[in-house]
């Protein structure tokens, strides 16, 4: 199966809050801002983007769940919004990526409506300014 890059979301971390259990799981909620660039869409992350990470006792698991909304223009120049729910696991075995997730996208763009049902995968890579999330679709 081959994948086509759809968009890169350039994330800048704003704040992180933590909850730690004695001898149990820990939770970190990270708020962020940023923008998106790519072949199909350009825009910004709206206020309210948050990534919730749950880390199991002694690092036994590390789940990720980010939710955010983008506002901008699709590749036809029409204004639109995109909601992204990105769920997955951190995996130290990935080459060149910090994690892989499986996004769910909802958009009001007619030109991008294919994203509502496509099989999508995303990978996160550290940058000097934060994190780049690259979303791909199966072609």
């Amino acid at each position: 199966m081959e994948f086509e890059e759809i968009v890169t979301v350039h994330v800048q971390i704003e704040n992180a809050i933590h909850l730690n259990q004695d001898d149990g799981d820990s939770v970190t909620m990270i708020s962020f801002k940023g923008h998106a660039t790519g072949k199909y869409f350009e825009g910004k992350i709206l206020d309210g983007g948050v990534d919730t990470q749950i880390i199991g006792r002694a690092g036994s698991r590390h789940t990720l769940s980010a939710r955010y909304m983008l506002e901008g223009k699709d590749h036809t120049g029409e204004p639109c919004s995109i909601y992204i729910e990105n769920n997955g696991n951190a995996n130290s075995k990935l080459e060149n990526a910090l994690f892989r997730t499986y996004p769910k996208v909802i958009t009001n763009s007619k030109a991008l409506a294919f994203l509502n049902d496509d099989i999508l995968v995303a990978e996160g890579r550290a940058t000097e300014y934060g994190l780049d999330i690259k979303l791909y679709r199966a072609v």
Side-chain angles (χ1 to χ4, degrees):
M1 184 177 295
E2 292 188 36
F3 288 87
E4 173 189 29
E5 185 175 330
I6 299 299
V7 68
T8 299
V9 181
H10 308 280
V11 173
Q12 297 171 334
I13 306 299
E14 289 196 305
N15 190 30
I17 55 175
H18 309 278
L19 177 150
N20 294 307
Q21 287 182 323
D22 294 338
D23 299 325
D25 293 345
S26 66
V27 178
T28 300
M29 294 181 71
I30 303 166
S31 60
F32 57 87
K33 63 181 181 178
H35 67 284
T37 58
K39 174 180 174 179
Y40 291 101
F41 176 84
E42 303 244 344
K44 66 176 184 171
I45 298 172
L46 298 177
D47 290 343
V50 66
D51 179 41
T52 303
Q53 301 183 12
I54 300 174
I55 302 170
R57 186 177 317 174
S60 60
R61 72 182 181 337
H62 187 160
T63 61
L64 311 168
S65 182
R67 288 166 174 74
Y68 51 100
M69 188 96 60
L70 302 168
E71 186 175 76
K73 292 187 178 184
D74 64 26
H75 63 282
T76 68
E78 290 296 315
C80 66
S81 297
I82 299 175
Y83 166 78
I84 299 174
E85 180 178 321
N86 230 350
N87 296 301
N89 296 294
N91 183 343
S92 59
K93 296 178 185 176
L94 292 174
E95 188 175 328
N96 300 322
L98 298 172
F99 58 83
R100 182 170 292 140
T101 58
Y102 302 94
K104 169 63 181 158
V105 169
I106 299 171
T107 182
N108 60 0
S109 165
K110 287 184 170 89
L112 300 179
F114 62 91
L115 293 175
N116 294 323
D117 298 311
D118 267 357
I119 295 172
L120 304 173
V121 64
E123 290 186 343
R125 295 177 172 85
T127 69
E128 65 180 285
Y129 300 106
L131 191 66
D132 278 355
I133 312 294
K134 294 188 174 283
L135 275 75
Y136 303 90
R137 75 176 182 138
V139 289

